[in-house]
Amino acid sequence: MHFLDQAKIFVRSGHGGPGAVSFRREKFIEYGGPDGGDGGKGGDIVFEAVAGLNTLIDFRYTQHFRAPRGTGGSGSNKTGAGGKDLVIKVPVGTQILADDEDRTLLADLTKVGERIVFLRGGDGGRGNASYKTSTNRAPRQHGTGWPAEEAWVWLRLKLLADAGLVGLPNAGKSTFINAVTNAQAKVGEYAFTTTRPQLGVVRHKGREFVIADIPGLIEGAAEGAGIGDRFLGHIERCRVLLHLVDANDADVAESYRIVRDELEAYGAGLADKPAVVALNKIDMLDDELIAALSAELEEASGHSVIPISGASGVGVDWVLDKLLEAIGPDASAVSEDDDGEDAIEWSPL
């Protein structure tokens, strides 16, 4: 399944049904009078966040959504049937944005089962029975029903994760998430191995939390260089960011600075989030060089640096401890005797 995190769709609620013009005609009743019923209400457009969906790919192939209109009223004061609401199911974390220059945020669905009535169906028109007065005993006017509401909107998916991985391409982010979760992120010895976000559930010391891996950033990503900064939106909801820096880079301080500059250029408070900094791929370096690189990176970042190797597992538990500390008590508790075999990994792939 392809991962799609934004889509443009057209939605329209149902038109209200027309009221009826009818007169009562029954044997032995001399003056029947008007008995036209009201029209039915049109269906609403409802968005609902559901579990089990993790991409907006379905909206690439179905882009128009129209709720049914209400049916017309009829004689004997019968009100027309209302149109059935059209429920559009979206992944948890989906935002609904206006199709304007500023992409105004209209709704944000962050919990399973959360529902909003986005467009209300038109009310049904009045039947001629409702127009009867003491001076107008046989009205023939009726309402045609209130019109539907319609709009073009953008859907944007922001993944829900507790911790986010950031770093340059080939910093070892995919290797790290594969080591600490059951995710199966693609790993390769070339830049931009990761082309779409990946989620995994970490189980550590009786607790669990969700970690997100996004494509690597390069200098100028905020202006569209490389894959750009489009996927940074998926870590806006994270409580903590894990900066991975490749120990084999020519200048580890510069590698950290590039990523920080792109986070600041993107905005949305990413640069202000708590951070854990790790010097990755230390398995091929000697202790003296590791200490020197760690000191250089610590001076540039202002954070304590944790030397790790995602491939060999060195220092990984230390990093997970720091992430749990930053996430706080909201991380889910799991039973110590639960080996996780029945756990389902949430992935946008």
Side-chain angles (χ1 to χ4, degrees), residues 15-349:
H15 194 293
V21 176
S22 174
F23 293 91
R24 181 182 180 190
R25 291 179 174 86
E26 294 184 31
K27 193 175 182 180
F28 306 122
I29 298 181
E30 184 176 1
Y31 302 105
D35 67 347
D38 298 338
K41 176 182 173 297
D44 298 334
I45 293 290
V46 180
F47 284 95
E48 180 181 8
V50 299
L53 291 180
N54 44 39
T55 174
L56 299 174
I57 189 65
D58 291 339
F59 298 100
R60 172 172 289 179
Y61 308 108
T62 304
Q63 298 169 340
H64 293 78
F65 298 85
R66 298 177 176 90
R69 66 178 298 159
T71 58
S74 59
S76 300
N77 290 306
K78 294 179 180 177
T79 300
K84 186 177 181 181
D85 295 342
L86 178 59
V87 180
I88 303 174
K89 297 181 178 180
V90 296
V92 178
T94 298
Q95 294 182 326
I96 305 173
L97 310 173
D99 184 27
D100 55 21
E101 185 176 346
D102 298 329
R103 295 283 178 88
T104 306
L105 179 63
L106 303 177
D108 194 0
L109 305 176
T110 59
K111 299 178 181 179
V112 174
E114 188 174 359
R115 292 166 59 103
I116 63 161
V117 177
F118 185 70
L119 297 180
R120 188 179 182 277
D123 291 328
R126 293 168 58 187
N128 69 330
S130 66
Y131 287 95
K132 180 181 177 181
T133 66
S134 60
T135 58
N136 186 10
R137 308 303 298 271
R140 295 184 177 274
Q141 66 264 47
H142 72 288
T144 57
W146 291 89
E149 298 178 348
E150 61 181 46
W152 282 94
V153 295
W154 281 92
L155 302 182
R156 181 171 64 186
L157 175 61
K158 290 185 178 181
L159 301 179
L160 300 178
D162 299 301
L165 295 178
V166 294
L168 296 177
N170 265 13
K173 301 186 299 299
S174 295
T175 300
F176 180 86
I177 196 173
N178 287 347
V180 299
T181 73
N182 290 333
Q184 297 180 350
K186 184 178 180 181
V187 177
E189 296 182 359
Y190 54 89
F192 300 113
T193 307
T194 300
T195 58
R196 49 184 174 251
Q198 180 82 34
L199 288 183
V201 179
V202 178
R203 303 171 64 85
H204 182 66
K205 293 187 175 179
R207 299 168 70 191
E208 65 179 25
F209 61 92
V210 179
I211 191 168
D213 173 26
I214 64 170
L217 302 171
I218 63 173
E219 191 167 13
E223 285 76 43
I227 296 182
D229 62 356
R230 168 183 168 183
F231 293 113
L232 281 176
H234 293 291
I235 59 174
E236 286 184 23
R237 306 180 194 271
C238 294
R239 294 185 177 91
V240 59
L241 300 181
L242 172 58
H243 289 258
L244 290 184
V245 179
D246 189 347
N248 298 302
D249 288 346
D251 187 342
V252 293
E254 178 66 9
S255 297
Y256 175 83
R257 183 195 63 78
I258 290 174
V259 175
R260 291 297 299 181
D261 288 348
E262 296 308 317
L263 295 180
E264 292 178 0
Y266 179 83
L270 291 185
D272 300 325
K273 289 184 177 293
V276 175
V277 181
L279 182 68
N280 197 17
K281 302 183 181 180
I282 64 168
D283 44 299
M284 300 298 291
L285 306 180
D286 58 48
D287 293 342
E288 183 177 351
L289 182 56
I290 293 173
L293 292 175
S294 298
E296 181 181 349
L297 184 56
E298 185 171 335
E299 181 178 357
S301 65
H303 294 275
S304 299
V305 175
I306 305 174
I308 70 168
S309 170
S312 66
V314 174
V316 169
D317 285 346
W318 188 4
V319 168
L320 296 182
D321 289 343
K322 290 293 185 181
L323 292 178
L324 275 178
E325 181 180 337
I327 293 171
D330 291 338
S332 301
V334 294
S335 175
E336 293 294 343
D337 56 2
D338 186 352
D339 58 10
E341 292 181 355
D342 297 329
I344 299 176
E345 294 300 328
W346 198 102
S347 169
L349 299 181

